[in-house]
Every structure is written in C-alpha cells, then in structure tokens.
Amino acid sequence: MPPPPQIPALEQQMIKQGLVNVQTVDSTIAVELKYSTTDNFVKKDVYGDLENAYLQPDIAKKLAKASASLRKAHPGYRLLIYDAARPNSVQYILWDALDVPLRQKPQYVADPKIGSIHNFGCAVDLTVANEKGAPLDMGTPYDFFGPLAYPRMESQMLAQGKLSRKQLANRQILRQAMTQAGFRQNTTEWWHYDGMSRNSARAKYGMIK
C-alpha cells in the first residue's frame, strides 16, 4: 500500500492557522491555482506543491453561498478559483516581480508591509466556468494589468469597443453571485473579491506568514 501523499508545508501552515480547504465546504467549486503554475504575471510557480484553495471558515461559507446562487441562476456553471489565501511571504515575491513604477504598484499588488486581504485568507480571485469546465470570456485574462480589467472602466471600454456586451454580461454573472453573498468587488480587477475589509481581517485573524 503506497504511503499517504505528503501535505505541502504551505498547506500545513494554513491548516494550522485554522483555514479550510474550500472544496471541503463546497465540492462543486473548481480550483486552478495560477500561482502553482507559470501561467501568471511573474511567469513562475511560487506556491510549489500547493494545489488546494484555502480561506477562513466564514469566508469559505460565504463563497459556498455565492456558488449556490450561481448554480441556481445558471445551471451547469460553477465558480473556478485562481487564488485564495496567500502567505505574506509570497506577497513579497509578487511585489518585487511587478515591473511597473513604484507609485503604481499598489494599484495591482498590495504592499506586503501592509498586507493584501489575500494574506488574511479573506479574499478570492476567481471566474466562472461553463458546462465543459472552460472559463467564460471576461475580456481579459487573469492578472491583466490595465483599464480593460477595471470594473470601474467597463462602460467606457464598452463605448470604445474594447469590451463586448457579452464579455460584460459574463462578468455580471460572476459579480451578481459574489455580491449577493456579501463579497465586495475590487475596482481594478474583475476577478478579485473581498470577503471583509483588511482592517476587519487583520483584527479577527492576523496575517498568514
């Protein structure tokens, strides 16, 4: 009988801090952690063997509500997580790798000295997958830096013909499910949703190192 698979150190750390594997709360949610691949803006795997998405228990329950809402409104569709709880040590890697002027960095990656809401296990990056498991067309890929990804610029991008009505309708499918469950939409990333404010997360949970 083969030995049980070793739980990655990063995963052990999150379990120790009380976070839960999202798929144990809702098995219909799909996971493809982009930072466990090279398909991300740093073009390298920064999570190693971590393949499961972790969140604080109450945020995971909130996400399960969003998932149920999505599946009721659009049978066959399901949430697809790209990133969830993220250790602060990884935040430094992302911050250092982001090749934009320093003053612009916080627009795309939270300063690790302050911490991203991801670093408290209270934020999630995700999209919607269709019946075949393929992500819906949201107008840009994940980790796209620029106005095309900004929810606050959608009307302007539509008027300029840079985003289509279908792409915005797809974003709205995700937005409706997430905001109905109590998540807040990020203004510069269509994929990023916060389950609570950074101050509340810091006070309640503390940072994942």
Side-chain angles (χ1 to χ4, degrees):
M1 191 171 174
Q6 184 70 29
I7 297 176
L10 212 51
E11 193 162 346
Q12 289 182 34
Q13 180 187 336
M14 291 201 253
I15 293 168
K16 200 177 289 183
Q17 287 192 240
L19 284 84
V20 296
N21 180 337
V22 171
Q23 288 177 314
T24 64
V25 179
D26 184 342
S27 61
T28 71
I29 297 174
V31 174
E32 183 192 335
L33 296 183
K34 290 294 189 181
Y35 296 123
S36 287
T37 72
T38 56
D39 182 20
N40 56 61
F41 80 92
V42 294
K43 304 299 180 195
K44 63 181 180 181
D45 178 350
V46 293
Y47 279 167
D49 295 335
L50 180 69
E51 292 182 353
N52 296 315
Y54 279 78
L55 289 170
Q56 298 293 352
D58 57 339
I59 305 299
K61 285 177 189 169
K62 195 181 280 193
L63 189 62
K65 284 184 185 174
S67 171
S69 173
L70 169 68
R71 287 181 287 112
K72 184 177 179 183
H74 303 275
Y77 283 11
R78 60 180 180 156
L79 297 177
L80 170 59
I81 295 177
Y82 288 147
D83 195 28
R86 179 194 306 154
N88 189 242
S89 55
V90 173
Q91 195 70 25
Y92 275 93
I93 294 171
L94 301 184
W95 177 264
D96 292 342
L98 182 58
D99 189 19
V100 299
L102 185 61
R103 61 187 169 78
Q104 290 179 17
K105 281 194 177 191
Q107 203 170 345
Y108 305 112
V109 176
D111 186 336
K113 293 188 186 74
I114 300 166
S116 162
I117 299 178
H118 283 288
N119 300 155
F120 301 95
C122 297
V124 61
D125 294 346
L126 74 177
T127 190
V128 175
N130 64 19
E131 297 86 342
K132 295 178 181 176
L136 301 188
D137 178 5
M138 300 293 193
T140 78
Y142 173 64
D143 264 1
F144 180 91
F145 299 135
L148 278 178
Y150 298 0
R152 68 172 189 234
M153 297 280 285
E154 286 171 354
S155 298
Q156 191 176 331
M157 295 294 104
L158 177 65
Q160 293 175 9
K162 293 176 180 176
L163 289 175
S164 70
R165 291 192 183 279
K166 179 62 174 171
Q167 289 164 339
L168 294 192
N170 287 342
R171 289 187 188 186
Q172 191 57 33
I173 290 170
L174 175 62
R175 191 169 299 151
Q176 189 163 7
M178 295 297 287
T179 55
Q180 279 179 352
F183 285 88
R184 192 180 70 227
Q185 164 85 74
N186 184 282
T187 61
T188 58
E189 299 172 338
W190 59 258
W191 54 83
H192 179 114
Y193 286 85
D194 295 323
M196 63 172 62
S197 72
R198 180 167 24 218
N199 287 343
S200 297
R202 188 188 305 278
K204 188 169 183 180
Y205 296 116
M207 192 179 282
I208 305 159
K209 300 296 183 183

